[in-house]
């Protein structure tokens, strides 16, 4: 039995998220079907975590157990030939039996992108949220700075979260101003359901002057989802990369 | 009667090109329908030139005559509200009666983008052509340099071209190496049917070693389409901007 790890990128636009669910049409379903065509095995892949419907990934990580004799370096080409053009495997390697893409993950980085052009850029419309009103970038940076560290993020999680603990650590959170775009990058040891989208939605509200950055500590302390800003739309969010101890 | 000029961007993926044709579903058709909803007028727009099926634009220019009293600065918002998300008007202004987006154009610039990553980038797959084999960038630049100037471009035009003259001037042609991408930029006083795509296809063939850059002058002199390289796929091509005397 081999333990195979893959790094996968996908355009999440037309999928119901990464993880298998009753309504079907998930990235996981498509990948498992493609593996089955290759190996004739009923394989269950383990992703580093879910991504919501409409959310994208540049470096999602998954692993699975297989009896296939396909060498690790041949997997990437073989599976890409059996995948739709909006899901691409970037790398495959064989890892030790202990590797588990979710449990072993140490840090994840997400990117949330806002299109600040007066009219939306047609070429990136599926990967950004259009927001042309002026945004106070300095206040948005204050929001991100106030979230860095170990906190109970209940106020920044969907009430549907089923996690036993809502304590997570954000290592880095920054906002980069680009040409017609703002990018929020957040790195943490793990993220709750909708957490990055609520962080982005809150930063946008503060940028618009609808909330104040100085209230973030009180919002965290309240452990009340209704105190934070809205959940920003999924299409602006991309899972950039997942880091493991090496 | 007012003469209105618009700058339009579009993702050409799902259209049969810019210009109205019997099979329908063109950018021009969509724009004329949106204008008709606004003004109740049967308007014929004039584009700076065609773009092929699947080709994109950041700065296509068009103009049309209207009796509408909508002020120029209100047009952009009003028409974008009536357009699909893959066509966006970026600017509208009122111009003198003599302005004609095709006849008045002095220079046009196109971009052709090649994705050189080992596996295609999912986020730009509709706007680049994937080509992972090594390419000789220096030889490709020699191709572009040999095409600068005034030439008869019959060898670089579709045999279906109906233009009375195939003499055109290329002012600038350069290749820029980026992260996982090569961009070819070509600026000229006008382009024949498929001309930029044949230039890109020829540059790629030379980059692969299938042809030699030193043969470009002889290929031009032959006035024979079969001597140049293939017509590169449409999705890599974008009309960047059109310049007018001011």
């Amino acid at each position: 039995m081999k333990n195979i790890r893959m790094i996968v990128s996908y355009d999440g636009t037309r999928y119901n998220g990464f993880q298998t669910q009753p309504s079907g049409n998930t990235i996981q379903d498509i990948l498992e079907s493609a593996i089955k065509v290759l190996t004739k095995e009923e394989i269950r892949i383990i992703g580093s975590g879910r991504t919501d419907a409409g959310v994208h990934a540049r470096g999602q990580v998954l692993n699975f157990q297989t009896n296939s004799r396909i060498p690790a370096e041949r997997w990437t080409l073989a599976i890409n030939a059996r995948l739709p053009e909006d899901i691409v495997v970037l790398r495959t390697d064989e890892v030790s039996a202990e590797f588990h893409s979710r449990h072993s993950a140490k840090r994840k980085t997400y990117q949330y992108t806002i299109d600040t052009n007066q009219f939306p850029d047609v070429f990136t419309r599926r990967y950004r949220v259009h927001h042309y009103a002026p945004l106070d970038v300095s206040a948005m940076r204050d929001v991100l700075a106030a979230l860095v560290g170990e906190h109970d993020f209940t106020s920044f999680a969907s009430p549907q979260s089923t996690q036993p603990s809502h304590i997570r650590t954000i290592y880095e959170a920054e906002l980069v101003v680009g040409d017609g775009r703002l990018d929020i990058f957040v790195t943490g040891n793990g993220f709750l359901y909708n957490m990055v989208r609520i962080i982005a939605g809150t930063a946008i509200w503060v940028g618009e002057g609808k909330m104040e950055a100085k209230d973030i500590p009180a919002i965290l302390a309240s452990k009340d989802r209704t105190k934070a800003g809205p959940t920003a739309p999924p299409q602006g969010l991309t899972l950039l990369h997942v880091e493991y101890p090496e």
Side-chain angles (χ1 to χ4, degrees), chain A residues 31-73:
Chain A
L31 285 163
E32 288 176 352
S33 299
I35 293 170
K36 188 175 176 184
V37 170
L38 264 182
T39 70
K40 319 294 176 207
E41 295 170 304
E42 288 285 353
I43 273 171
R44 173 53 54 105
I45 64 179
I46 299 163
S48 75
R50 323 175 170 210
T51 55
D52 295 348
V55 170
H56 319 290
R58 286 197 181 272
Q60 171 67 291
V61 177
L62 60 89
N63 72 293
F64 57 90
Q65 313 294 324
T66 177
N67 285 310
S68 162
R69 298 184 175 191
I70 302 172
E73 68 275 14

Side-chain angles (χ1 to χ4, degrees), chain A residues 194-240:
Chain A
N194 282 353
M195 182 168 152
V196 184
R197 290 168 57 190
I198 298 169
I199 291 173
T202 303
I204 291 169
W205 264 29
V206 168
E208 294 177 315
K210 293 179 182 167
M211 293 179 75
E212 292 200 66
K214 69 172 173 51
D215 295 332
I216 297 293
I219 292 169
L220 283 167
S222 74
K223 299 180 194 174
D224 178 355
R225 168 70 189 92
T226 68
K227 302 297 190 213
T231 305
Q235 74 269 20
L237 186 63
T238 304
L239 172 58
L240 276 190

Side-chain angles (χ1 to χ4, degrees), chain A residues 141-156:
Chain A
R141 287 185 168 138
D142 291 342
V143 170
L144 299 178
L147 294 171
V148 170
E150 185 182 82
H151 302 286
D152 183 312
F153 283 98
T154 302
S155 299
F156 291 84

Side-chain angles (χ1 to χ4, degrees), chain A residues 1-245:
Chain A
M1 207 71 167
K2 287 193 274 192
N3 190 12
I4 297 288
R5 172 170 64 181
M6 285 182 172
I7 300 178
V8 184
S9 65
Y10 47 83
D11 172 347
T13 307
R14 66 187 184 101
Y15 297 103
N16 293 329
F18 181 80
Q19 186 167 293
T20 296
Q21 51 161 288
S23 56
N25 189 36
T26 65
I27 315 286
Q28 180 175 355
D29 297 342
I30 305 280
L31 285 163
E32 288 176 352
S33 299
I35 293 170
K36 188 175 176 184
V37 170
L38 264 182
T39 70
K40 319 294 176 207
E41 295 170 304
E42 288 285 353
I43 273 171
R44 173 53 54 105
I45 64 179
I46 299 163
S48 75
R50 323 175 170 210
T51 55
D52 295 348
V55 170
H56 319 290
R58 286 197 181 272
Q60 171 67 291
V61 177
L62 60 89
N63 72 293
F64 57 90
Q65 313 294 324
T66 177
N67 285 310
S68 162
R69 298 184 175 191
I70 302 172
E73 68 275 14
R74 298 285 294 280
W75 268 100
T76 313
L77 267 175
I79 196 163
N80 281 333
R82 288 158 180 84
L83 287 172
E85 65 170 17
D86 49 9
I87 304 178
V88 174
V89 175
L90 300 175
R91 213 180 94 189
T92 309
D93 53 5
E94 189 178 343
V95 286
S96 68
E98 298 74 44
F99 179 86
H100 184 286
S101 60
R102 188 168 72 252
H103 298 157
S104 310
K106 289 300 173 210
R107 293 159 61 103
K108 285 185 188 173
T109 300
Y110 280 92
Q111 176 177 20
Y112 196 93
T113 305
I114 303 161
D115 179 349
T116 57
N117 291 295
Q118 183 174 9
F119 300 105
D121 176 54
V122 292
F123 301 106
T124 55
R125 67 189 188 277
R126 291 191 179 85
Y127 317 120
R128 300 182 186 180
V129 166
H130 183 245
H131 190 288
Y132 173 59
L135 289 171
D136 180 340
V137 166
S138 168
M140 293 172 77
R141 287 185 168 138
D142 291 342
V143 170
L144 299 178
L147 294 171
V148 170
E150 185 182 82
H151 302 286
D152 183 312
F153 283 98
T154 302
S155 299
F156 291 84
S158 164
Q160 293 166 51
S161 166
T162 56
Q163 295 294 313
S165 163
H166 285 169
I167 296 176
R168 296 290 184 277
T169 300
I170 292 183
Y171 301 116
E172 292 170 43
E174 59 170 344
L175 187 154
V176 176
V177 180
D179 183 18
R181 65 191 286 175
L182 296 178
D183 290 282
I184 293 170
F185 295 94
V186 185
T187 301
N189 63 350
F191 291 92
L192 303 167
Y193 187 32
N194 282 353
M195 182 168 152
V196 184
R197 290 168 57 190
I198 298 169
I199 291 173
T202 303
I204 291 169
W205 264 29
V206 168
E208 294 177 315
K210 293 179 182 167
M211 293 179 75
E212 292 200 66
K214 69 172 173 51
D215 295 332
I216 297 293
I219 292 169
L220 283 167
S222 74
K223 299 180 194 174
D224 178 355
R225 168 70 189 92
T226 68
K227 302 297 190 213
T231 305
Q235 74 269 20
L237 186 63
T238 304
L239 172 58
L240 276 190
H241 49 80
V242 187
E243 295 165 76
Y244 296 90

